[in-house]
Amino acid sequence: DVKVTQSSRYLVKRTGEKVFLECVQDMDHENMFWYRQDPGLGLRLIYFSYDVKMKEKGDIPEGYSVSREKKERFSLILESASTNQTSMYLCASLTGDNTEAFFGQGTRLTVV
Amino acid sequence: AQSVTQPDIHITVSEGASLELRCNYSYGATPYLFWYVQSPGQGLQLLLKYFSGDTLVQGIKGFEAEFKRSQSSFNLRKPSVHWSDAAEYFCAVRPVHKLVFGAGTILRVKS
């Protein structure tokens, strides 16, 4: 089974902190994604990466950055956390033929 | 730009009743379409997908969906809903290297 693992299920951070959300997949997928999930808004794409050291902005990249130093790991960085970044964050990887995405369990981030 | 619309934010059905969740998409080329389900506290699980061929696709847990190009729709159906189907359902379209999701429909099942 494909596994996408997010390092934390719950995080509480203070405003202004730098926050790292980690995601690891074990199926050698090239494409990885970070989404943000908010009630009534569905999943919105923050960033995605189609190869090591490659990244593309999604629909809501402001206030975020990403890092992909190794194929299996895709990190989301909140440079200076703000309360409006309180949300559920979902990581996903996409199979090589782009036919199926696998999701992690999500990280519920609260910024206080 | 690609987009997905799920017109119903909440739907409540009785256990044993039939279900249809609506999904409309906007995409220029032949779409790859998906339905995902998210149970409370869980990640997203793929129910079914459509790429080409037969426009009626079968998925897991007794779900099916029908692709109608003329209506730009990909509605999800189930003939008899079980209490365990209560969850949030997301329709998605895949342009090239990413997935674009709808806002989701929350399904409540009453006994």
Side-chain angles (χ1 to χ4, degrees):
Chain A
D1 275 355
V2 174
K3 277 201 176 155
V4 179
T5 304
Q6 295 182 229
S7 53
S8 303
R9 289 295 300 271
Y10 301 94
L11 275 179
V12 180
K13 297 292 182 181
R14 294 193 180 278
T15 302
E17 276 193 78
K18 190 169 186 176
V19 181
F20 294 86
L21 303 183
E22 306 286 344
C23 175
V24 176
Q25 50 96 1
D26 65 358
M27 281 301 290
D28 204 37
H29 291 166
E30 291 182 344
N31 296 320
M32 296 186 73
F33 308 84
W34 276 105
Y35 287 90
R36 170 177 172 161
Q37 182 180 8
D38 299 288
L41 297 177
L43 280 72
R44 293 180 291 165
L45 183 63
I46 305 172
Y47 267 96
F48 65 103
S49 168
Y50 50 88
D51 202 351
V52 175
K53 298 191 185 294
M54 306 300 288
K55 59 186 178 184
E56 292 280 344
K57 292 180 180 179
D59 300 317
I60 52 164
E62 296 79 17
Y64 303 94
S65 63
V66 290
S67 172
R68 184 114 182 254
E69 296 296 318
K70 293 185 178 181
K71 195 173 188 179
E72 67 270 18
R73 186 181 297 270
F74 190 35
S75 303
L76 179 70
I77 303 157
L78 285 66
E79 298 291 343
S80 177
S82 63
T83 55
N84 63 12
Q85 292 178 309
T86 291
S87 186
M88 171 70 84
Y89 290 88
L90 291 169
C91 174
S93 70
L94 191 63
T95 56
D97 60 0
N98 293 326
T99 59
E100 186 169 349
F102 293 87
F103 285 83
Q105 292 288 84
T107 297
R108 184 164 295 282
L109 173 68
T110 302
V111 182
V112 298
Chain B
Q2 311 88 9
S3 66
V4 176
T5 301
Q6 294 180 245
D8 304 305
I9 299 173
H10 297 98
I11 282 187
T12 301
V13 300
S14 297
E15 193 169 13
S18 64
L19 170 70
E20 183 170 35
L21 302 182
R22 296 184 290 164
C23 172
N24 293 96
Y25 67 89
S26 171
Y27 184 55
T30 301
Y32 283 23
L33 294 160
F34 306 81
W35 275 100
Y36 282 84
V37 61
Q38 185 180 38
S39 299
Q42 302 296 314
L44 272 72
Q45 181 183 20
L46 179 68
L47 282 176
L48 47 79
K49 55 190 175 185
Y50 170 79
F51 301 143
S52 64
D54 192 349
T55 56
L56 185 64
V57 293
Q58 302 297 319
I60 62 171
K61 304 185 180 188
F63 285 92
E64 66 178 26
E66 186 171 14
F67 170 62
K68 293 185 177 180
R69 184 186 299 276
S70 61
Q71 298 176 19
S72 297
S73 70
F74 188 56
N75 294 347
L76 182 72
R77 300 195 293 249
K78 187 170 184 178
S80 178
V81 169
H82 188 262
W83 64 266
S84 61
D85 294 323
E88 189 163 15
Y89 292 80
F90 294 95
C91 181
V93 62
R94 196 222 79 187
V96 195
H97 296 296
K98 60 183 181 179
L99 285 177
V100 177
F101 286 85
T105 297
I106 296 172
L107 172 65
R108 299 190 178 111
V109 180
K110 59 182 181 181
S111 54

